[in-house]
Amino acid sequence: MRAIAKRELKAYFSSPIGYVCIGVLSALFGYYFYQVLLSGSTYYLSSVYNMMFMWGMMVIPLITMKSMSEDRKNRTDQMLLTSQVGLYSLVAGKFLAALTVYAIGLALSLFPCLVISFYADLSWGIVFGNILGSLLYAGAMISIGIFLSSLTESQIIAAVSTFGVSIVLMVIDQMAFMLQNDMLETIVGWTSFSSRFVPFAKGILDVSSIVFFLSVAVGFLFLTARKLESRRWN
């Protein structure tokens, strides 16, 4: 798993994808933190990560689009599928590499927070709550993106399909409200990534949301491994 993660991480930074994704995240974080500085109050700090939730869900498809589809297109997946590396280790390595790219962009947001803390009373509980929530929803979304990438040879199709799923997961709570059915509204709203992220934005450690995001990540990584196993036997 470590070897796969290292190989994938190197691939991200031997192409523009890793730098572009981190650069975009850093630029957006910088812009929103600048708005906080203009407001003169750290009260709006949570709004930075709330806005970045939307942008983060948009950037993740760019990170995951090549994770499986590129190997399939170049036929290098045959070598991986017939190697001694376990399928679950293969999938986990690709997942960790993609999550690391996103985590680097997220970690850079700590520098503006550190600067702000020199001039204002900063609630680090809210900051780290937001970062934890961001890592959790990113992990869940990355696992979905990797699964969708394993279904096609086209990076464009993988990116667009992941992009579509991310939009649905962001607005599904609003869709649930339109159903005019309390039971369906509860069931559909339960899967909303945005509503699951809200407690972390407030600095609250919500165990149910942690379990939800981890379950989504593990579930889709399992499905990806099963998909690869079916291709190995075929």
Side-chain angles (χ1 to χ4, degrees), residues 123-135:
S123 176
W124 285 103
I126 292 178
V127 173
F128 287 115
N130 277 280
I131 289 178
L132 175 61
S134 299
L135 283 175

PDB file of all heavy atoms in Angstrom, residues 123-135:
ATOM      1  N   SER A 123     -10.463  31.082  17.818  1.00  0.00           N
ATOM      2  CA  SER A 123     -10.951  29.821  18.379  1.00  0.00           C
ATOM      3  C   SER A 123     -10.376  28.660  17.568  1.00  0.00           C
ATOM      4  O   SER A 123     -10.879  28.325  16.491  1.00  0.00           O
ATOM      5  CB  SER A 123     -12.483  29.788  18.354  1.00  0.00           C
ATOM      6  OG  SER A 123     -12.946  28.528  18.803  1.00  0.00           O
ATOM      7  N   TRP A 124      -9.320  28.059  18.095  1.00  0.00           N
ATOM      8  CA  TRP A 124      -8.683  26.960  17.381  1.00  0.00           C
ATOM      9  C   TRP A 124      -9.557  25.717  17.341  1.00  0.00           C
ATOM     10  O   TRP A 124      -9.405  24.853  16.464  1.00  0.00           O
ATOM     11  CB  TRP A 124      -7.330  26.642  18.010  1.00  0.00           C
ATOM     12  CG  TRP A 124      -6.283  27.652  17.669  1.00  0.00           C
ATOM     13  CD1 TRP A 124      -5.812  28.654  18.466  1.00  0.00           C
ATOM     14  CD2 TRP A 124      -5.589  27.777  16.420  1.00  0.00           C
ATOM     15  NE1 TRP A 124      -4.864  29.395  17.799  1.00  0.00           N
ATOM     16  CE2 TRP A 124      -4.703  28.879  16.546  1.00  0.00           C
ATOM     17  CE3 TRP A 124      -5.631  27.078  15.218  1.00  0.00           C
ATOM     18  CZ2 TRP A 124      -3.867  29.281  15.508  1.00  0.00           C
ATOM     19  CZ3 TRP A 124      -4.797  27.473  14.177  1.00  0.00           C
ATOM     20  CH2 TRP A 124      -3.925  28.565  14.327  1.00  0.00           C
ATOM     21  N   GLY A 125     -10.497  25.605  18.297  1.00  0.00           N
ATOM     22  CA  GLY A 125     -11.425  24.478  18.281  1.00  0.00           C
ATOM     23  C   GLY A 125     -12.273  24.485  17.022  1.00  0.00           C
ATOM     24  O   GLY A 125     -12.505  23.437  16.405  1.00  0.00           O
ATOM     25  N   ILE A 126     -12.724  25.672  16.623  1.00  0.00           N
ATOM     26  CA  ILE A 126     -13.511  25.796  15.393  1.00  0.00           C
ATOM     27  C   ILE A 126     -12.649  25.507  14.169  1.00  0.00           C
ATOM     28  O   ILE A 126     -13.076  24.832  13.227  1.00  0.00           O
ATOM     29  CB  ILE A 126     -14.132  27.199  15.296  1.00  0.00           C
ATOM     30  CG1 ILE A 126     -15.200  27.380  16.383  1.00  0.00           C
ATOM     31  CG2 ILE A 126     -14.732  27.436  13.916  1.00  0.00           C
ATOM     32  CD1 ILE A 126     -15.836  28.742  16.397  1.00  0.00           C
ATOM     33  N   VAL A 127     -11.398  26.000  14.194  1.00  0.00           N
ATOM     34  CA  VAL A 127     -10.492  25.781  13.056  1.00  0.00           C
ATOM     35  C   VAL A 127     -10.236  24.298  12.848  1.00  0.00           C
ATOM     36  O   VAL A 127     -10.404  23.759  11.738  1.00  0.00           O
ATOM     37  CB  VAL A 127      -9.162  26.527  13.270  1.00  0.00           C
ATOM     38  CG1 VAL A 127      -8.161  26.149  12.175  1.00  0.00           C
ATOM     39  CG2 VAL A 127      -9.385  28.029  13.277  1.00  0.00           C
ATOM     40  N   PHE A 128      -9.845  23.596  13.925  1.00  0.00           N
ATOM     41  CA  PHE A 128      -9.528  22.174  13.780  1.00  0.00           C
ATOM     42  C   PHE A 128     -10.785  21.336  13.556  1.00  0.00           C
ATOM     43  O   PHE A 128     -10.721  20.277  12.915  1.00  0.00           O
ATOM     44  CB  PHE A 128      -8.762  21.680  15.008  1.00  0.00           C
ATOM     45  CG  PHE A 128      -7.346  22.177  15.057  1.00  0.00           C
ATOM     46  CD1 PHE A 128      -6.934  23.032  16.073  1.00  0.00           C
ATOM     47  CD2 PHE A 128      -6.428  21.807  14.090  1.00  0.00           C
ATOM     48  CE1 PHE A 128      -5.633  23.506  16.109  1.00  0.00           C
ATOM     49  CE2 PHE A 128      -5.125  22.268  14.126  1.00  0.00           C
ATOM     50  CZ  PHE A 128      -4.725  23.123  15.139  1.00  0.00           C
ATOM     51  N   GLY A 129     -11.931  21.806  14.068  1.00  0.00           N
ATOM     52  CA  GLY A 129     -13.187  21.124  13.771  1.00  0.00           C
ATOM     53  C   GLY A 129     -13.502  21.186  12.286  1.00  0.00           C
ATOM     54  O   GLY A 129     -13.921  20.193  11.676  1.00  0.00           O
ATOM     55  N   ASN A 130     -13.291  22.362  11.692  1.00  0.00           N
ATOM     56  CA  ASN A 130     -13.509  22.526  10.258  1.00  0.00           C
ATOM     57  C   ASN A 130     -12.544  21.690   9.437  1.00  0.00           C
ATOM     58  O   ASN A 130     -12.921  21.100   8.413  1.00  0.00           O
ATOM     59  CB  ASN A 130     -13.368  24.005   9.875  1.00  0.00           C
ATOM     60  CG  ASN A 130     -14.632  24.792  10.111  1.00  0.00           C
ATOM     61  OD1 ASN A 130     -15.567  24.752   9.316  1.00  0.00           O
ATOM     62  ND2 ASN A 130     -14.682  25.521  11.214  1.00  0.00           N
ATOM     63  N   ILE A 131     -11.289  21.636   9.866  1.00  0.00           N
ATOM     64  CA  ILE A 131     -10.295  20.855   9.131  1.00  0.00           C
ATOM     65  C   ILE A 131     -10.605  19.367   9.209  1.00  0.00           C
ATOM     66  O   ILE A 131     -10.519  18.638   8.206  1.00  0.00           O
ATOM     67  CB  ILE A 131      -8.882  21.151   9.670  1.00  0.00           C
ATOM     68  CG1 ILE A 131      -8.468  22.567   9.248  1.00  0.00           C
ATOM     69  CG2 ILE A 131      -7.878  20.122   9.163  1.00  0.00           C
ATOM     70  CD1 ILE A 131      -7.127  22.993   9.759  1.00  0.00           C
ATOM     71  N   LEU A 132     -11.018  18.901  10.393  1.00  0.00           N
ATOM     72  CA  LEU A 132     -11.398  17.493  10.534  1.00  0.00           C
ATOM     73  C   LEU A 132     -12.596  17.168   9.652  1.00  0.00           C
ATOM     74  O   LEU A 132     -12.598  16.158   8.935  1.00  0.00           O
ATOM     75  CB  LEU A 132     -11.718  17.180  11.992  1.00  0.00           C
ATOM     76  CG  LEU A 132     -12.254  15.764  12.275  1.00  0.00           C
ATOM     77  CD1 LEU A 132     -11.242  14.710  11.865  1.00  0.00           C
ATOM     78  CD2 LEU A 132     -12.635  15.605  13.746  1.00  0.00           C
ATOM     79  N   GLY A 133     -13.615  18.025   9.696  1.00  0.00           N
ATOM     80  CA  GLY A 133     -14.787  17.813   8.851  1.00  0.00           C
ATOM     81  C   GLY A 133     -14.443  17.837   7.376  1.00  0.00           C
ATOM     82  O   GLY A 133     -14.962  17.030   6.594  1.00  0.00           O
ATOM     83  N   SER A 134     -13.531  18.737   6.990  1.00  0.00           N
ATOM     84  CA  SER A 134     -13.110  18.827   5.593  1.00  0.00           C
ATOM     85  C   SER A 134     -12.391  17.561   5.143  1.00  0.00           C
ATOM     86  O   SER A 134     -12.603  17.070   4.027  1.00  0.00           O
ATOM     87  CB  SER A 134     -12.201  20.046   5.395  1.00  0.00           C
ATOM     88  OG  SER A 134     -12.881  21.238   5.712  1.00  0.00           O
ATOM     89  N   LEU A 135     -11.547  17.022   5.999  1.00  0.00           N
ATOM     90  CA  LEU A 135     -10.846  15.785   5.667  1.00  0.00           C
ATOM     91  C   LEU A 135     -11.810  14.606   5.554  1.00  0.00           C
ATOM     92  O   LEU A 135     -11.656  13.744   4.681  1.00  0.00           O
ATOM     93  CB  LEU A 135      -9.779  15.475   6.730  1.00  0.00           C
ATOM     94  CG  LEU A 135      -8.490  16.292   6.657  1.00  0.00           C
ATOM     95  CD1 LEU A 135      -7.595  15.953   7.845  1.00  0.00           C
ATOM     96  CD2 LEU A 135      -7.749  16.026   5.352  1.00  0.00           C
TER      97      LEU A 135
END
